[in-house]
């Protein structure tokens, strides 16, 4: 639900920014102070959105750690390690025959 809210916010921000850029291109916004204020506003939105995403990632990571979930990187490493060990074991079995 939170991601849906972020998605809607992102969509609104993009549409507003596109409209703003179109106004600038058409020459409807010639006030440099307004342009500067809007640019700062959009930058702040991007920064705040990144902060929220970082915080959500941190929260999800904390929950995953507490529940004992395995990171995909660790899982893939262990899969490769098992395959290597199985191959080594098969080679050893063939040598003893």
């Amino acid at each position: 639900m939170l991601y849906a809210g972020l998605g809607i916010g992102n969509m609104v921000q993009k549409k507003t920014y596109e409209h703003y850029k179109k106004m600038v291109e058409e020459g409807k916004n010639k006030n440099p102070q307004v342009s500067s204020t809007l640019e700062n506003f959009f930058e702040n939105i991007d920064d705040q959105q990144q902060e929220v995403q970082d915080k959500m990632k941190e929260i999800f990571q904390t929950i995953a750690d507490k529940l004992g979930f395995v990171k995909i990187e660790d899982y893939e490493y262990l899969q490769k390690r098992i395959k290597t060990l199985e191959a080594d074991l098969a080679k050893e079995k063939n040598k003893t025959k």
Side-chain angles (χ1 to χ4, degrees):
M1 184 118 155
L2 183 60
Y3 274 128
L6 288 174
I8 290 170
N10 191 30
M11 184 178 69
V12 168
Q13 181 222 357
K14 284 182 181 178
K15 291 290 182 185
T16 305
Y17 188 71
E18 288 171 7
H19 182 70
Y20 160 72
K21 284 293 191 183
K22 185 177 177 182
M23 286 177 58
V24 170
E25 288 172 4
E26 293 174 356
K28 293 180 181 176
N29 181 19
K30 296 182 181 182
N31 187 334
Q33 186 176 2
V34 171
S35 294
S36 176
T37 301
L38 285 174
E39 290 289 337
N40 288 336
F41 173 73
F42 290 123
E43 287 176 17
N44 285 338
I45 287 176
D46 288 340
D47 292 344
Q48 288 176 358
Q49 193 171 26
Q50 187 61 47
E51 286 177 22
V52 169
Q53 288 175 346
D54 292 345
K55 187 64 176 173
M56 291 300 299
K57 186 176 181 180
E58 182 181 319
I59 289 169
F60 286 134
Q61 187 60 51
T62 300
I63 291 170
D65 290 344
K66 286 184 179 181
L67 293 175
F69 292 155
V70 177
K71 293 180 185 175
I72 191 72
E73 297 88 15
D74 294 339
Y75 177 77
E76 290 170 349
Y77 168 78
L78 290 174
Q79 278 186 319
K80 289 177 185 176
R81 182 74 178 129
I82 288 169
K83 285 182 182 180
T84 302
L85 291 172
E86 286 175 339
D88 292 347
L89 183 60
K91 288 178 187 175
E92 287 299 318
K93 281 185 179 180
N94 287 337
K95 285 183 183 178
T96 59
K97 285 185 179 182

